[in-house]
Amino acid sequence: PAGNATGRRYRHPRGRGRALTGRGPVLIAGGGIAGLTTARALARRGIPAEVLETRSGPIDEGAGIQLGPNATRILIGLGLEARLAPHIAVPEHIVVNDGVEGRELTRFPLGETIHRRHGAPYWVVHRADLYKALLDAARAEPLISIAAGRTVTAVEPGAGRGVRIHMAEGGSADGALLVAADGLWSRLRALLAPGVRLEATGVTAARSILAMDTVPRRFQAPVTGIWLAPDCHVVHYPVAGGR
């Protein structure tokens, strides 16, 4: 049993994955946020997963992520709230500012208002903290295995109704199915949608992390701030537990 964000109780049907478990684990190409979340969700239903991640070292890049109720409801349902609690911040408002004149235009409530309205909170978190919470939870789950330094490059029908994957480093593996969670520069996208090509939007995003005690007081408020100006905008919010 697990509690959801509204306090009701529900039971994860761990036997639901029996149709898959006889064909080996679900293979997941990519051990980032998407891949680890998928593995966690499968494990909660009794389905084993093997995560194959290209990189061998820790994944600590990135900056902040805003998690609306649609996302936090899933993370809470997957039992990750306690692991994330020391690292999240819960802004009280979204404050919209004129990016040229510096004046406040309007503000919208977040915090408890959003939680009551949607049955789940609005959180902001450093990407690396979210990733580490997912990784720690995956490592603690017997139904999940993680293999670093493994790049999936091809997939073909396997024995029975399963799949067989091949890796750039050599070797192959069999599983019930393959989940492609290998990111923006996916090697597997062409297998699913060979006619799709990435197109540059012409928009650039720059991200940075600042210690809270080094910024002006106005920027230390527990809010998500938005500054609007011609052809650009700036967003800021607390991460790392408000630090």
Side-chain angles (χ1 to χ4, degrees), residues 64-133:
I65 296 181
Q66 301 178 67
L67 298 170
N70 57 329
T72 61
R73 183 179 292 109
I74 293 170
L75 294 171
I76 292 169
L78 293 177
L80 293 162
E81 185 173 16
R83 292 183 184 274
L84 286 169
H87 309 292
I88 61 173
V90 185
E92 298 171 358
H93 297 89
I94 291 179
V95 180
V96 184
N97 304 281
D98 185 312
V100 177
E101 298 181 4
R103 60 189 175 91
E104 181 178 321
L105 299 176
T106 189
R107 60 176 55 204
F108 305 98
L110 294 173
E112 285 300 315
T113 300
I114 286 291
H115 201 156
R116 287 195 303 270
R117 180 181 298 168
H118 298 290
Y122 165 92
W123 293 341
V124 286
V125 63
H126 193 297
R127 184 189 185 282
D129 291 333
L130 174 59
Y131 166 76
K132 188 175 187 305

Side-chain angles (χ1 to χ4, degrees), residues 25 39 48-52 138 141-147:
E50 183 175 352
V51 179
L52 302 131
E141 171 54 64
L143 288 175
I144 299 174
S145 64
I146 302 174

Side-chain angles (χ1 to χ4, degrees), residues 79-224:
L80 293 162
E81 185 173 16
R83 292 183 184 274
L84 286 169
H87 309 292
I88 61 173
V90 185
E92 298 171 358
H93 297 89
I94 291 179
V95 180
V96 184
N97 304 281
D98 185 312
V100 177
E101 298 181 4
R103 60 189 175 91
E104 181 178 321
L105 299 176
T106 189
R107 60 176 55 204
F108 305 98
L110 294 173
E112 285 300 315
T113 300
I114 286 291
H115 201 156
R116 287 195 303 270
R117 180 181 298 168
H118 298 290
Y122 165 92
W123 293 341
V124 286
V125 63
H126 193 297
R127 184 189 185 282
D129 291 333
L130 174 59
Y131 166 76
K132 188 175 187 305
L134 287 163
L135 181 62
D136 290 345
R139 287 173 170 168
E141 171 54 64
L143 288 175
I144 299 174
S145 64
I146 302 174
R150 308 299 286 167
T151 305
V152 181
T153 55
V155 57
E156 63 184 13
R161 297 171 59 193
V163 296
R164 173 167 292 177
I165 61 170
H166 301 276
M167 287 161 280
E169 299 78 12
S172 61
D174 295 308
L177 56 87
L178 173 66
V179 176
D182 52 341
L184 178 64
W185 307 109
S186 171
R187 294 169 178 260
L188 300 175
R189 182 184 290 113
L191 301 179
L192 301 174
V196 172
R197 297 290 182 270
L198 299 182
E199 295 184 13
T201 64
V203 177
T204 300
R207 304 184 181 206
S208 184
I209 300 294
L210 300 172
M212 189 65 79
D213 59 6
T214 66
V215 300
R217 184 173 298 276
R218 180 173 184 177
F219 296 91
Q220 297 181 22
V223 302
T224 294

